[in-house]
Amino acid sequence: MKWTITHGGADQFIFTVPGWLKGKLEPNGTGIRQAVESETDDGKIRWVIETQKLQQQEYFLTALSTLELPAEEAFRFQSLSSNRLRSWKKGFVTNLLKSHRMIRSS
């Protein structure tokens, strides 16, 4: 995931994933202070990533997972979504998140 920060800075990045990924993601990014996973009222998983320093211009984050391949040999994903970011300074942040709907094995 890549966020572009157009004004000010941000030190908190929030995104949600489908509920079946609960406990199965390992977020990786520069200067992560803490990564907190919680369940939303509608069963999705919300991640709050807090960085040690205020990020300026852009922030890039990966989330790794090792999953067993389902019998149909495909993982189906709902679109991942990013929530508005909180910042210690005022700023506008645009999430340029692009997600794959399906990943197939070869």
Side-chain angles (χ1 to χ4, degrees):
M1 291 166 273
K2 180 181 175 183
W3 287 269
T4 299
I5 305 163
T6 58
H7 295 93
D11 64 355
Q12 192 175 81
F13 302 87
I14 302 169
F15 66 96
T16 57
V17 296
W20 60 269
L21 284 170
K22 182 177 183 177
K24 297 180 181 176
L25 287 182
E26 180 183 326
N28 293 291
T30 303
I32 293 177
R33 173 177 290 152
Q34 68 177 355
V36 178
E37 175 189 49
S38 61
E39 193 167 345
T40 63
D41 292 339
D42 62 356
K44 294 181 182 175
I45 302 304
R46 179 178 188 246
W47 279 93
V48 178
I49 308 298
E50 187 176 316
T51 59
Q52 295 172 359
K53 294 181 184 177
L54 202 62
Q55 303 298 310
Q56 313 249 333
Q57 297 180 340
E58 68 182 19
Y59 187 69
F60 184 72
L61 176 79
T62 60
L64 304 174
S65 183
T66 302
L67 305 169
E68 289 186 33
L69 188 62
E72 64 272 7
E73 296 188 358
F75 293 105
R76 297 191 184 278
F77 289 92
Q78 298 173 358
S79 293
L80 302 178
S81 65
S82 172
N83 303 28
R84 250 186 200 276
L85 308 181
R86 277 194 229 156
S87 160
W88 292 111
K89 294 182 180 177
K90 287 186 177 181
F92 298 97
V93 183
T94 305
N95 180 347
L96 301 178
L97 171 65
K98 293 182 180 178
S99 64
H100 296 283
R101 295 234 180 246
M102 184 180 291
I103 300 173
R104 289 198 175 272
S105 66
S106 54

